[in-house]
Amino acid sequence: MPKPYSANFETEPPADLPLSPKVKNLRKAYQDAQESHEKYVQENSRYRTMDVREMWAPKPVHSSIALEEAERELKEAEIAAVGAGKPLPDKEKFLAPAKAKMDEYIRMVEALKVLVEQAKQTYSDALLSELKTMGLKEAEKAAKARDEWEKAYRAVMDARATLELHASLFTWCVSAGSMDAYPRQGHSQGENLEYWELTEDGRLKFDAAVALEYYDFMVKVEGLIEPDPDPIAPAASEWAEDRIPAQHYSKPVGHEYASHVGEIY
């Protein structure tokens, strides 16, 4: 279940709400209160009280970064005092400034939180009082947008029908009447008509023809589809190469009945 935004709304008001100047000012006051709270917390985090006990300790041990620093300084002062033969510094007096700032931090944060909630509620109440007027205006805007969307949708569908008509007529031409619909018409994976693109001289581009699946056996009329700009060269046959027969020589090796045969390159 979502955490309530306020006593009036379950969720945070959208940023796009067309607020009146009065409500805008109250929202700004709420945002400023939030920023003041966050800024104070960030700038004074060293005085935030924390539980620093060990995992096995039964009771909490409250401290802060500032208090731990003061305790380290106290130990150094105690060592210096003993070394100099002087009395130990007063512990409570030494740590009092850090503890006072910790107490101040708690009180300030609580007060800032209350101010944030008050500003939030004031803004929320003012916004609630304008929802009816705002809602009627948004309903009117939605009706206007719906009419515009319907017109645009109809224009898209009309343009689509025109595209399909001329793609089919092109197919009839390029196939010399053997096909009366473009190859991927009704295809479950898409008809790919968005790939339709022409060369500078008006022919269907080769890549477009591939995407539209105009296979070679379908094309009966030349000059309507761009040839493959990078055709694959036919594989060369090993027997088509001019070969020079290897020439051999022989020489006696070892004794008169043995010989070595080698090639001349």
Side-chain angles (χ1 to χ4, degrees):
M1 183 176 181
K3 184 178 179 181
Y5 170 77
S6 70
N8 298 324
F9 311 118
E10 291 188 4
T11 59
E12 185 173 0
D16 295 332
L17 282 176
L19 306 178
S20 67
K22 173 188 173 182
V23 178
K24 283 183 179 180
N25 290 334
L26 292 174
R27 181 177 64 180
K28 180 67 166 57
Y30 163 51
Q31 293 170 341
D32 290 345
Q34 282 183 310
E35 291 176 3
S36 296
H37 170 253
E38 293 170 358
K39 181 180 179 181
Y40 181 85
V41 169
Q42 292 174 358
E43 293 179 350
N44 297 274
S45 59
R46 62 194 309 269
Y47 302 112
R48 182 169 63 89
T49 301
M50 301 178 291
D51 184 0
V52 296
R53 62 179 161 176
E54 301 291 347
M55 290 189 298
W56 56 81
K59 295 181 180 180
V61 178
H62 295 127
S63 185
S64 69
I65 296 174
L67 182 58
E68 290 180 349
E69 290 176 354
E71 288 174 342
R72 287 194 294 269
E73 292 174 0
L74 174 61
K75 288 182 180 180
E76 293 174 358
E78 288 173 343
I79 294 170
V82 171
K86 296 180 180 180
L88 292 172
D90 187 292
K91 181 177 180 180
E92 292 302 321
K93 185 177 180 181
F94 199 97
L95 300 178
K99 291 182 177 180
K101 292 293 289 185
M102 290 173 63
D103 182 62
E104 178 185 303
Y105 178 89
I106 293 172
R107 294 162 60 197
M108 280 291 295
V109 169
E110 289 178 353
L112 288 169
K113 284 182 178 179
V114 171
L115 291 175
V116 169
E117 288 303 316
Q118 289 177 348
K120 181 180 183 180
Q121 193 61 49
T122 302
Y123 159 55
S124 178
D125 291 342
L127 177 58
L128 180 64
S129 67
E130 296 187 357
L131 288 187
K132 181 178 179 180
T133 302
M134 192 183 304
L136 290 172
K137 291 181 180 179
E138 292 306 308
E140 183 180 357
K141 292 176 183 177
K144 182 180 179 181
R146 187 263 180 196
D147 292 341
E148 293 175 352
W149 169 82
E150 184 176 2
K151 292 178 182 178
Y153 179 75
R154 287 177 178 174
V156 168
M157 296 306 294
D158 290 345
R160 173 78 184 189
T162 302
L163 172 59
E164 291 178 350
L165 169 64
H166 293 296
S168 296
L169 293 176
F170 171 85
T171 305
W172 193 92
C173 293
V174 77
S175 67
S178 62
M179 296 175 63
D180 59 0
Y182 52 92
R184 290 182 62 89
Q185 186 173 28
H187 199 290
S188 62
Q189 300 299 319
E191 297 178 340
N192 289 358
L193 288 175
E194 64 273 15
Y195 289 98
W196 201 282
E197 188 176 0
L198 304 182
T199 61
E200 293 183 358
D201 60 0
R203 294 177 296 172
L204 184 65
K205 282 191 174 182
F206 175 79
D207 291 340
V210 171
L212 292 160
E213 297 185 1
Y214 282 100
Y215 297 116
D216 289 345
F217 70 88
M218 301 176 184
V219 179
K220 305 292 179 59
V221 178
E222 300 295 332
L224 294 177
I225 296 178
E226 176 189 33
D228 186 351
D230 189 21
I232 300 175
S237 171
E238 60 177 335
W239 303 109
E241 298 180 9
D242 294 331
R243 291 178 173 269
I244 300 175
Q247 301 180 36
H248 300 84
Y249 67 92
S250 63
K251 63 179 180 179
V253 177
H255 56 83
E256 59 180 332
Y257 299 108
S259 65
H260 171 78
V261 178
E263 291 187 353
I264 301 175
Y265 294 97

